Amino acid sequence: MGVEIKERRVTDAEFEEMKQFVFEYLAASVEKEEEGGRMRWYPWHSAEYRHNHILNVVELATEIAQKEGADVDVTRVAALFHDVAKLETDQELHAEAGARVAREYLESRGEYPESFIQQVCRAVEQHSYQGDLSDVALETQCLIEADLLDKVGANGTALMLLRMGYEARTHMDSDEMVERVLERGYNAASRVESETAEGIAHQRLKRVKWFSEWLEDEIAGMGD
Ligand SMILES: [Fe+2]
C-alpha cells in the first residue's frame, strides 16, 4: 500500500524468507538446549512469545520509520533480527550475537550492498543501548523505541497477568502487577525520542491506566 518512491532493496518475498529463518532459528535454540534451561515456562522465554514479540516490533518499528523518515528496509530487517539470538545467548550478549547472525544471513544471500548490511547490523548490535536515544542512528532509534513500546499497553498487561498464573498468585495481586506495567510505560514514554513513538506510548499508557482503574472499580478491597 502507499506510494513507494525509493527503490526497494528487500522484497516482500525476501522478507518472508527472513521471517521463516528467524523463527526456525528461535525454535532450534529451544530444542537444542539442555534440561533446566532459562526458565522456559516463563511467558517471555518461549520461542512462541519471542516470535510474536518480534512481529510486533517489526510492525511498530516500520510505522515509526515511515513517519519519521528513517530507512524502512534497514529498520524492518533490523527489527526482525534484533532478538534472533535471545534464546541461545545471555541477555548482555544477545544483541551482538544477533548482529552476527544477521550478517551471516545477509551475506549468504549475496545480493545486499555492504552499506545496507552494516546499517542493519549496527541497529541490531545497539538495540540494548541504555543511553540517550538521540545518540544513535535514526533506524536504531526506531528499533529501540518499538522494542520499548511492545512491553507496555494492553499486550504488556496481558503478559504480566499470565506471569501471575505461572507464579501461582491470586487475582488480588493484579492491581500491583498492572501498576508495574504502568511504571514501565512511564519509563518508555520518557525515553522515546520521536513524536510517533511518543504518541503510541501515551495511547498505550492510557489503556493500562484504564485497566487499572477498572480493576479497582470492580473488585472489592482492591486499591485501598
Ligand atoms: Fe526485543
Side-chain angles (χ1 to χ4, degrees):
M1 298 282 279
V3 184
E4 187 68 51
I5 305 156
K6 250 185 338 181
E7 195 193 329
R8 293 186 77 98
R9 282 173 303 195
V10 180
T11 65
D12 287 342
E14 286 167 352
F15 195 67
E16 286 308 311
E17 220 178 286
M18 287 180 199
K19 269 188 193 168
Q20 203 53 40
F21 170 82
V22 168
F23 303 147
E24 280 165 15
Y25 196 97
L26 287 168
S29 310
V30 172
E31 268 164 36
K32 71 181 179 209
E33 82 185 349
E34 318 219 317
E35 204 61 53
R38 302 168 56 226
M39 296 162 74
R40 202 58 73 201
W41 48 270
Y42 233 53
W44 290 272
H45 295 170
S46 69
E48 291 74 20
Y49 169 71
R50 203 41 60 188
H51 171 176
N52 181 259
H53 163 71
I54 286 172
L55 291 182
N56 294 342
V57 173
V58 165
E59 229 163 84
L60 283 162
T62 304
E63 181 187 343
I64 300 168
Q66 275 162 348
K67 293 189 176 151
E68 297 295 325
D71 186 314
V72 173
D73 273 345
V74 168
T75 307
R76 68 177 183 145
V77 173
L80 187 54
F81 278 97
H82 87 279
D83 272 349
V84 68
K86 181 98 170 179
L87 301 179
E88 62 165 12
T89 323
D90 286 342
Q91 171 61 18
E92 308 74 54
L93 299 172
H94 87 281
E96 238 175 85
R100 276 197 299 273
V101 176
R103 172 167 286 280
E104 209 174 293
Y105 179 92
L106 296 171
E107 279 180 352
S108 75
R109 293 305 180 270
E111 60 220 20
Y112 303 109
E114 173 57 26
S115 61
F116 172 75
I117 298 178
Q118 257 175 27
Q119 287 181 82
V120 168
C121 294
R122 180 178 57 186
V124 175
E125 198 178 327
Q126 296 182 346
H127 88 267
S128 297
Y129 181 65
Q130 295 299 319
D132 204 304
L133 292 192
S134 57
D135 297 344
V136 296
L138 186 55
E139 291 72 21
T140 311
Q141 184 188 304
C142 296
L143 168 57
I144 297 176
E145 289 180 337
D147 204 12
L148 284 168
L149 291 172
D150 190 46
K151 295 181 182 74
V152 302
N155 185 33
T157 307
L159 281 153
M160 192 57 102
L161 298 178
L162 185 61
R163 174 180 150 181
M164 287 175 57
Y166 283 102
E167 292 176 350
R169 289 171 181 262
T170 77
H171 82 298
M172 290 307 287
D173 287 340
S174 52
D175 57 342
E176 181 199 320
M177 299 303 270
V178 172
E179 212 52 44
R180 290 198 207 172
V181 182
L182 205 50
E183 239 168 75
R184 211 184 276 171
Y186 284 121
N187 286 340
S190 71
R191 253 199 104 202
V192 297
E193 193 72 30
S194 73
E195 246 173 67
T196 309
E198 236 168 68
I200 300 171
H202 284 111
Q203 183 192 44
R204 293 190 171 201
L205 213 44
K206 203 161 62 184
R207 293 172 181 165
V208 184
K209 257 191 249 167
W210 281 338
F211 188 70
S212 118
E213 283 167 20
W214 294 335
L215 274 175
E216 292 178 8
D217 191 44
E218 289 181 15
I219 303 174
M222 194 172 267
D224 301 339

